[in-house]
Amino acid sequence: MRYLHQFVHLMLTLRIASENRIPATILSLLCEKDFQEGGQTIAGEKFIESTRDCYLAYLPEQIEARSFELVSVSLERCHDRKGPPYLKLRSQYARHDFVGKLTDEFVKLRLALRQELEFVLEDAGYAITAYDNPYFLDGQAVDGARSLSINANAPEWLINIDGAPVMIWDRPKNEKGAQKIIRQPARMLEIDGDDAIEIVKV
């Protein structure tokens, strides 16, 4: 179990296949990133194992209600030699006392970016993992400071691109009484009243 107050920084990374799922303001940030071998990283401690079909829509609000603010949003098209290109949508939050100087351009776009991020999160359940990492500032680990990293992949869409809800069969469609219902996520990642970061059944 981890608690939000143990962290000074939070990074949420979504892996999405199609540009059609990305709203306009976020899409305007798109840049290309080539596949790179290796890289200098320090492995964090995984404390949430890969869990499918988790709803994240309430997470930004829960984070910001606890002295964090959105400090960065980026969108990269990643070219991986092991598979087709994909989009990496990353949002970063910092605790108020760890917020550095933000660019005027980001401040101007921040409200729109935050709203659009919520739209993306509302549209799917994701397979998530979460890590407790060291926190780096200017390339140096900050003593006693930790960073929470949440990786979200394999979206199971709840909303079609045309805005209509995704419909699924409530049982095998050849069974008697089978009918289509609106698809709902099975789980939700939330921060509870004690700041605990946990997965709960919907």
Side-chain angles (χ1 to χ4, degrees):
M1 180 70 73
R2 295 294 191 280
Y3 296 85
L4 188 62
H5 61 252
Q6 296 175 296
F7 299 96
V8 302
H9 173 264
L10 184 152
M11 182 164 60
L12 173 62
T13 304
L14 308 179
R15 179 170 172 157
I16 297 174
S18 174
E19 285 186 24
N20 292 335
R21 292 290 183 172
I22 307 297
T25 308
I26 295 177
L27 191 59
S28 72
L29 305 176
L30 180 62
C31 65
E32 304 285 333
K33 181 180 181 180
D34 292 329
F35 175 85
Q36 296 180 349
E37 295 283 358
Q40 295 183 348
T41 60
I42 296 178
E45 180 185 352
K46 185 189 295 185
F47 68 94
I48 294 179
E49 296 291 335
S50 182
T51 306
R52 294 188 62 83
D53 204 11
C54 286
Y55 197 51
L56 302 169
Y58 304 116
L59 192 62
E61 180 181 353
Q62 292 174 342
I63 294 166
E64 292 174 357
R66 292 166 171 83
S67 300
F68 281 74
E69 63 179 88
L70 183 64
V71 296
S72 173
V73 176
S74 63
L75 181 69
E76 297 176 337
R77 192 192 322 275
C78 300
H79 298 272
D80 192 333
R81 292 175 187 168
K82 297 179 181 179
Y86 63 92
L87 298 176
K88 183 186 291 183
L89 171 55
R90 175 169 288 165
S91 57
Q92 299 189 59
Y93 298 81
R95 202 173 69 190
H96 288 331
D97 51 332
F98 278 79
V99 174
K101 182 173 175 53
L102 304 177
T103 66
D104 292 340
E105 180 181 10
F106 177 74
V107 171
K108 183 173 68 173
L109 295 177
R110 180 160 60 174
L111 179 59
L113 292 171
R114 188 201 180 287
Q115 291 173 336
E116 290 186 356
L117 176 63
E118 281 198 350
F119 295 154
V120 176
L121 296 177
E122 287 171 354
D123 282 356
Y126 291 86
I128 67 163
T129 53
Y131 298 83
D132 181 340
N133 299 312
Y135 174 66
F136 288 87
L137 186 62
D138 298 327
Q140 299 293 320
V142 178
D143 189 38
R146 307 296 296 176
S147 175
L148 168 62
S149 177
I150 300 170
N151 297 335
N153 304 299
E156 297 190 44
W157 298 107
L158 307 172
I159 304 294
N160 291 303
I161 292 176
D162 64 5
V166 172
M167 306 297 291
I168 60 171
W169 292 100
D170 64 348
R171 68 195 78 178
K173 64 180 180 180
N174 58 346
E175 285 190 8
K176 184 178 179 180
Q179 59 182 336
K180 283 197 167 184
I181 58 174
I182 295 175
R183 189 182 184 283
Q184 299 291 339
R187 304 168 189 85
M188 180 171 64
L189 180 67
E190 72 166 15
I191 302 167
D192 71 11
D194 295 322
D195 270 5
I197 300 161
E198 60 181 1
I199 294 174
V200 298
K201 291 185 177 180
V202 174

